[in-house]
Amino acid sequence: MPDVAILGQVALGYSPYIAKNRSVSATRLTVFPLKPDAALDTAQLLEAVAGVWPADGAKVSLNVAGESLLQDLMRARPAGNVMIEIPAFMACDATNTAAIVALRANGNELLLKGRPLVELPREVLPCFKYSIIDLSDDRRLDGTQPPPGVKRSIPHLQGGVRTIAEMEQAFARGAEAVLGWPIDDAIQAGDQAAAGQADMQTMVELIRQVDAAEPIDKLENTLKRDPSLAFRLMRYINSPAFGLRVEISSFRHAIMMLGYKRLKRWLALLLATASKDVNMKPVMFAAVRRGLLMEELGRSSSDEEMRSELFICGVFSLLDRVFRQPFAELLANIPVPGRVYEALAEESGPFQPYLHMVRAVESGSLFDFREAADALMLGVSEINRAQLRALTAASQLE
């Protein structure tokens, strides 16, 4: 990860672009300058972005919250996989027309953020692939349909989505994709979903056996009950993110190479991504990134066991959404370290500040970011580098 000065001058946050099939089509990287009047190096920002999203890699959308930095970015030449979000007031300003037209000619997808208060310049409108309409600003929320023949001039994306219901409703209203984390659905006691419980039982049993260091033969017999689980486990272990130099060819080989402790973390990852409900795809996407980010935030500690537990805490932090059970009930059946239980079921303990930091990153709020960073006593640059490392590792798992 490039050690560039700008990582200490901005606060980063990330969220997904969710397509109609509920897959994540791109990542939105929000960039908040810590000092609005500071001169920032756009080339450094693009260097940091390219470290995670190379030109031949996945798409990333830059949501820059500082006008000066965005002006510089609009006059740069980002790689073709970099999308740029441009606020409506800047798109309407004729002084930006040439830069917007040049960005489009460079091959960058442009996104119009917000509703223009005046008509866009004639040359500018065709440059935008989508408009981003925040949920709080969508005039169609009451269900009324526009007059016959009246359509939005640009296909739209729905921003500010926080629940599964909001996501479904946005697609029903014609959104091409949604932006946000649909993870805020309320969980009620006794609200356990029947779907996926068989898969969960197999994985929970396997996690228990690994936790108890039972013989390999017993673990293999449990795994044989679910061939798809065995396949996914082998795929994860052989992914670039795992960093092994030899290919793992069997579950027995995996245990010999990894040991029980390292194997347990990947079983935790499998459990968090077990749901077959298509609406859970973005939730599982978030869970993987939470685990990797919490582990990276703990990198400065020399306590390897703590970092491993932080990973499990992050990965498990959305299990209540995946299986629709409160943590107090859910974790009664899954062996987890005490610090993980405290953070998830009791919202207390030494891991709670790390979880607060992850939520602040997801929220896209500069105030929350600063508050969480102070509580965790980590520098901005360290947090930003942890985010970018985590996002890089996550991309290697998919």
Side-chain angles (χ1 to χ4, degrees):
M1 188 55 54
D3 187 14
V4 292
I6 197 171
L7 293 180
Q9 300 166 334
V10 298
L12 300 180
Y14 60 83
S15 56
Y17 275 65
I18 303 167
K20 289 182 180 178
N21 65 358
R22 280 35 171 197
S23 66
V24 174
S25 58
T27 298
R28 182 191 214 188
L29 188 70
T30 297
V31 183
F32 288 100
L34 298 179
K35 296 180 179 179
D37 55 346
L40 302 177
D41 190 330
T42 306
Q44 289 186 3
L45 174 62
L46 292 176
E47 180 185 353
V49 168
V52 184
W53 298 276
D56 59 351
K59 290 184 177 181
V60 58
S61 178
L62 296 185
N63 174 33
V64 177
E67 186 174 349
S68 176
L69 180 58
L70 181 53
Q71 289 276 8
D72 291 343
L73 181 62
M74 288 166 57
R75 286 160 177 78
R77 291 293 177 267
N81 65 321
V82 177
M83 303 185 290
I84 309 293
E85 300 181 21
I86 300 177
F89 78 91
M90 292 180 67
C92 292
D93 187 342
T95 61
N96 293 320
T97 296
I100 292 172
V101 171
L103 270 176
R104 188 200 186 194
N106 190 53
N108 300 104
E109 291 184 10
L110 304 183
L111 307 162
L112 180 65
K113 193 166 61 174
R115 182 177 292 109
L117 299 180
V118 296
E119 191 172 348
L120 292 176
R122 180 175 51 83
E123 306 93 330
V124 165
L125 186 59
C127 294
F128 289 99
K129 184 167 184 179
Y130 299 109
S131 63
I132 299 173
I133 299 176
D134 196 85
L135 199 60
S136 61
D137 196 35
D138 193 339
R139 292 179 293 193
R140 302 188 182 194
L141 282 178
D142 59 5
T144 58
Q145 296 299 315
V150 175
K151 296 182 180 179
R152 286 184 166 127
S153 56
I154 312 172
H156 81 285
L157 313 178
Q158 189 85 78
V161 170
R162 296 298 305 179
T163 68
I164 296 294
E166 289 174 352
M167 178 175 69
E168 291 180 323
Q169 291 160 9
F171 285 126
R173 289 191 299 272
E176 293 292 320
V178 300
L179 284 70
W181 295 105
I183 57 178
D184 282 358
D185 296 87
I187 302 296
Q188 302 295 327
D191 189 27
Q192 181 173 344
Q197 292 306 309
D199 290 342
M200 177 183 173
Q201 289 170 5
T202 302
M203 277 180 276
V204 168
E205 183 176 353
L206 203 53
I207 290 172
R208 284 176 178 164
Q209 290 175 327
V210 170
D211 194 57
E214 292 192 4
I216 295 176
D217 290 344
K218 284 191 175 182
L219 273 64
E220 283 186 318
N221 288 336
T222 301
L223 194 63
K224 286 175 182 176
R225 299 178 202 167
D226 191 337
S228 66
L229 173 60
F231 171 80
R232 283 186 291 150
L233 178 62
M234 300 309 293
R235 187 191 68 181
Y236 275 136
I237 289 175
N238 284 305
S239 70
F242 211 78
L244 295 179
R245 295 187 177 182
V246 297
E247 183 175 351
I248 302 299
S249 56
S250 69
F251 187 55
R252 181 179 291 270
H253 187 199
I255 296 174
M256 291 171 60
M257 290 294 295
L258 304 174
Y260 283 80
K261 283 188 177 180
R262 290 186 72 193
L263 184 60
K264 185 178 178 182
R265 77 183 245 128
W266 293 97
L267 288 172
L269 184 61
L270 282 174
L271 180 59
T273 58
S275 176
K276 293 179 174 64
D277 181 351
V278 68
N279 279 333
M280 286 291 111
K281 283 184 178 180
V283 180
M284 296 185 290
F285 179 91
V288 172
R289 279 145 187 78
R290 281 188 172 194
L292 292 167
L293 177 53
M294 287 184 67
E295 182 181 39
E296 289 294 342
L297 289 171
R299 181 183 283 260
S300 59
S301 168
S302 59
D303 187 342
E304 185 177 344
E305 184 175 357
M306 174 185 168
R307 293 197 301 273
S308 178
E309 289 184 11
L310 282 168
F311 174 85
I312 291 174
C313 186
V315 166
F316 278 4
S317 65
L318 293 169
L319 276 190
D320 58 337
R321 268 64 182 169
V322 174
F323 292 106
R324 300 176 193 171
Q325 279 186 274
F327 278 119
E329 295 177 12
L330 190 60
L331 298 183
N333 301 314
I334 304 173
V336 296
R339 292 181 288 193
V340 174
Y341 185 90
E342 288 174 347
L344 300 182
E346 300 173 355
E347 297 190 5
S348 63
F351 288 176
Q352 184 59 26
Y354 291 90
L355 199 53
H356 185 200
M357 187 73 248
V358 170
R359 289 169 178 158
V361 165
E362 293 172 347
S363 74
S365 163
L366 180 57
F367 174 82
D368 291 344
F369 184 103
R370 282 176 159 155
E371 183 181 61
D374 289 344
L376 203 54
M377 292 185 290
L378 287 178
V380 170
S381 181
E382 189 175 358
I383 294 168
N384 287 333
R385 285 198 298 270
Q387 286 190 63
L388 296 177
R389 287 195 302 265
L391 291 168
T392 300
S395 70
Q396 294 173 340
L397 288 173
E398 295 160 354

